[in-house]
Amino acid sequence: MRRSILSIATLSIALASASCGGGPAGTASGAPAPAAAGSVKTAPEFELADLNGKLVRLSDSKGTVRLVDFWATWCAPCREEIPMFRDLSDAYGAKGFNLVGIAMDNEGLSVVKPFVEENHVTYLTLLGNEAVATSYGPLVGFPSKFLIDREGKIVASWVGPVPRAVLEQKIQSLL
């Protein structure tokens, strides 16, 4: 009994430490875990407010390649990816690529808007909620990313930080 409680406690600690992108489970190398082969599904539609209160739907960018990134201001790996996301958005935006950041902070606009301004986040940022997280999840940590092709299918997903070369290769293959 004591051994099983210790095992459960150890597992809980390991999962909690990975919840902000400490590395996906199941990858010995620490590399990002892509979606399982054959698990392609249609990206769930959503309608969320941007930082100015305008409602935005995923379908507003239909026909483009989209990277939907669930993140939070308090998540260090999320913050570290912002410069890369700016670069990817700038490099591929004119070719039909859209980056959509969905901020999952409980405090919402009051913390997200100043953070976005201070960190020069130039790509679309939306305020997330439990419903959208559930429709894409269950999300097991932040950041969680979903790459969506021009037909609206999720073709890859990752939990945790992803090297630029990995994202860029996938994005280029879909453009």
Side-chain angles (χ1 to χ4, degrees):
M1 176 75 163
R2 177 173 257 174
R3 182 171 283 161
S4 64
I5 291 172
L6 182 59
S7 296
I8 291 170
T10 302
L11 178 61
S12 296
I13 291 168
L15 289 174
S17 68
S19 69
C20 183
T27 57
S29 67
S39 65
V40 176
K41 70 173 191 169
T42 300
E45 178 63 274
F46 57 73
E47 181 178 80
L48 298 170
D50 69 10
L51 301 184
N52 296 313
K54 178 185 173 201
L55 291 179
V56 177
R57 293 180 183 86
L58 178 65
S59 58
D60 293 344
S61 57
K62 184 177 178 182
T64 65
V65 174
R66 291 155 286 182
L67 181 64
V68 175
D69 177 53
F70 289 86
W71 67 284
T73 61
W74 46 262
C75 171
C78 300
R79 292 189 308 263
E80 291 168 6
E81 289 185 320
I82 291 171
M84 173 184 63
F85 286 164
R86 277 194 310 253
D87 291 348
L88 291 173
S89 185
D90 291 345
Y92 299 106
K95 297 176 182 178
F97 171 71
N98 283 297
L99 205 144
V100 180
I102 300 180
M104 297 300 296
D105 291 81
N106 290 333
E107 300 87 354
L109 187 64
S110 67
V111 297
V112 175
K113 189 168 185 168
F115 179 89
V116 164
E117 290 169 356
E118 290 168 17
N119 290 278
H120 309 289
V121 176
T122 55
Y123 48 88
L124 179 63
T125 301
L126 305 174
L127 299 172
N129 58 39
E130 193 64 35
V132 72
T134 300
S135 71
Y136 277 80
L139 301 180
V140 295
F142 299 121
S144 288
K145 291 172 264 321
F146 299 85
L147 186 61
I148 303 167
D149 69 11
R150 292 181 187 271
E151 287 75 44
K153 303 289 184 196
I154 297 173
V155 296
S157 63
W158 301 269
V159 176
V162 179
R164 179 184 177 128
V166 171
L167 286 175
E168 203 157 22
Q169 184 276 326
K170 291 277 192 185
I171 291 165
Q172 288 174 347
S173 73
L174 296 171
L175 291 175

